[in-house]
Amino acid sequence: IVEEDEYVSANSALTESPGGDYGDDVSSFVMWSTPMDWSAKFGASISFWNKYDLEGGFDYMYFEGSPDNGMTWVRLKTWNGEGVGWHEEFISMDGFAGRDQVTFRFLFQSDQGYHVNGMYIDDIMLKTYNNDIASPSFETEPYAPEFYEGTLAEFNNMFRAFDVSGVPSASVMYTVDGGDTLTVAATATGTNDEWNYTIPTQTPGSLVKYWFWAEDGSVEMNSGYSDSYTYIAGEHLIYDNGIVSYISNIIVGDAMAVRMTVPGSDATTTYGADLSYLLLKNYADLDTSSDSMTVHVWQDDGTGQPGVEVLTPFQHLPEANTLVDPEAMSMLDLRSEGIRVYGDFWIGFSAEIGDVYYCYTQPSELGSTNYNRSFNGLSNGDGTWAWSQAGDTNYHFRAIIGAFSSIEEVHAMPISTSLEQNYPNPFNPTTTINFTIASEAKVSLVVYDVMGRSVAKLVDGDLSQGSHKVSFDASNLVSGVYYYNLKSGNVNQTKKMMLIK
């Protein structure tokens, strides 16, 4: 609690960094110290005033509530960005009504490098309600699609809807490419207020926006809607883990690209697929913004570098040009282009007007993998580039394709060891994991839960050179996120999958 002439009502406010800017790698919180008994309450809300300067895309303040005195936390609000002045915030805490150990906290986290003044908080007011006037609350963040990730098949997922009066009815509403609103029923699992739902299979590249509706069990039958979420139908080709380590820029004339592979393709078989969407993550803040980038799609030239252009290059101004979302994915709909890609292909952009900023991950980050697929293109001065691998770096470029099919058989063996994304994903309860081994070697393929505990050992022994696939049956596991790790020689790769029952 500080007196720095930074308050709404005299003479003090709350801040995470009294006396100046915050430092490197700070993780701190302030928590309501005495748990509150809301077992007889039907609703609650909190309001306060705040102002903040938080490095866009890297440093964050969170507001979290807990029903059990800090044993578990539910994230209710996230702040990020600079130059936001004093304003009043209102946050519903209805989801904690009926609980007898309620508390809340402000949690701050920063990375290294750029420092600013953080957040000031003042005039906190907490209200509880003795009548059931509140609609059900929703918890969706753990299940929401990350970076628009969808599937080629049905979209199976879950959410939590809770109310002190119970939730007897819930459903999911969605639109496809901005069309009419459609509804599918949600099914209660009977556990932890969870509801399962299935959105039918959509054409690859379809932009599906969806949200939840629920009604409580009170006499008033209060009902409400959740926030909306979006996914893109199709097979998502992902060679980054979503973690942003740093930002950088390319200068006029230069280019950058990531090598994509149509699933199933290896040295013995080539698969083809229709290219529906590109997702390119750029960056912007108060001091940094991009000029238009020129978007490219290349077929591999057979030597492991971008070759023939299969898309007429076009300019696009990155979506990450405001403080609202400094790391926004630029969404590029290519369905009308009728592009078909085969085996290895490349996606990326060049800078032809001015600097273009982008996000990248270093594999030294916890939970990251070096995919060895990111390349830099140094201008040759004639509209071509001299390509070189970007070292220990993963650029955040993704492609979305339709169904893939084999087009030819060749009689070569795999020249690299690689782990593919399981399919289907999400799955219930079985899925297939494909991988290739460059030469005969001892191989380990193990599945872990989010706590890092081994839950299944799928391979542990010598395997021959070639393509391999393993079926994983998760019948005895609970719904949630799992990781599978392949080790062979110097290769150590990990991917994420989701089990939904």
Side-chain angles (χ1 to χ4, degrees), residues 202-457:
Q202 304 296 325
T203 303
S206 296
L207 198 69
V208 181
K209 179 180 179 180
Y210 66 98
W211 59 98
F212 311 115
W213 172 90
E215 185 176 76
D216 70 16
S218 68
V219 174
E220 293 82 3
M221 299 175 65
N222 302 306
S223 64
Y225 298 91
S226 73
D227 293 335
S228 62
Y229 303 91
T230 302
Y231 72 87
I232 303 174
E235 181 76 11
H236 289 237
L237 305 183
I238 301 171
Y239 301 105
D240 66 81
N241 64 351
I243 297 173
V244 175
S245 303
Y246 300 101
I247 62 167
S248 190
N249 67 297
I250 59 171
I251 62 174
V252 174
D254 290 346
M256 54 199 314
V258 173
R259 177 171 55 88
M260 301 281 140
T261 301
V262 179
S265 299
D266 53 33
T268 64
T269 309
T270 299
Y271 279 69
D274 294 329
L275 181 61
S276 300
Y277 250 92
L278 300 183
L279 298 174
L280 308 175
K281 182 177 279 192
N282 300 98
Y283 181 82
D285 60 28
L286 284 176
D287 302 314
T288 300
S289 63
S290 297
D291 288 298
S292 290
M293 57 185 173
T294 302
V295 179
H296 300 266
V297 178
W298 302 269
Q299 192 62 51
D300 190 88
D301 69 354
T303 68
Q305 291 193 357
V308 175
E309 301 255 18
V310 296
L311 168 71
T312 301
F314 64 91
Q315 290 185 358
H316 181 82
L317 183 65
E319 272 83 338
N321 255 313
T322 71
L323 291 177
V324 175
D325 189 351
E327 300 173 9
M329 283 278 196
S330 291
M331 304 169 62
L332 306 171
D333 186 351
L334 303 183
R335 285 175 288 178
S336 63
E337 301 292 333
I339 300 170
R340 192 161 181 85
V341 290
Y342 301 94
D344 286 344
F345 66 100
W346 299 75
I347 67 172
F349 59 79
S350 58
E352 297 186 7
I353 298 176
D355 290 2
V356 179
Y357 289 82
Y358 61 92
C359 303
Y360 66 94
T361 298
Q362 288 194 327
S364 58
E365 292 278 359
L366 181 64
S368 184
T369 298
N370 189 358
Y371 292 99
N372 297 310
R373 287 174 173 266
S374 297
F375 280 67
N376 295 323
L378 182 63
S379 175
N380 291 321
D382 59 358
T384 64
W385 301 272
W387 294 99
S388 62
Q389 192 168 340
D392 293 342
T393 302
N394 298 325
Y395 298 144
H396 291 227
F397 301 168
R398 301 180 177 188
I400 303 172
I401 60 174
F404 35 94
S405 57
S406 174
I407 63 167
E408 61 182 85
E409 295 284 337
V410 295
H411 302 289
M413 296 299 289
I415 60 173
S416 65
T417 297
S418 63
L419 178 65
E420 301 298 333
Q421 186 65 50
N422 66 300
Y423 186 82
N425 187 44
F427 65 100
N428 177 26
T430 61
T431 188
T432 299
I433 299 171
N434 291 277
F435 58 97
T436 59
I437 303 300
S439 60
E440 182 175 351
K442 182 175 176 59
V443 176
S444 167
L445 181 62
V446 181
V447 179
Y448 297 90
D449 63 17
V450 293
M451 302 299 293
R453 297 171 298 200
S454 171
V455 297
K457 184 170 288 187

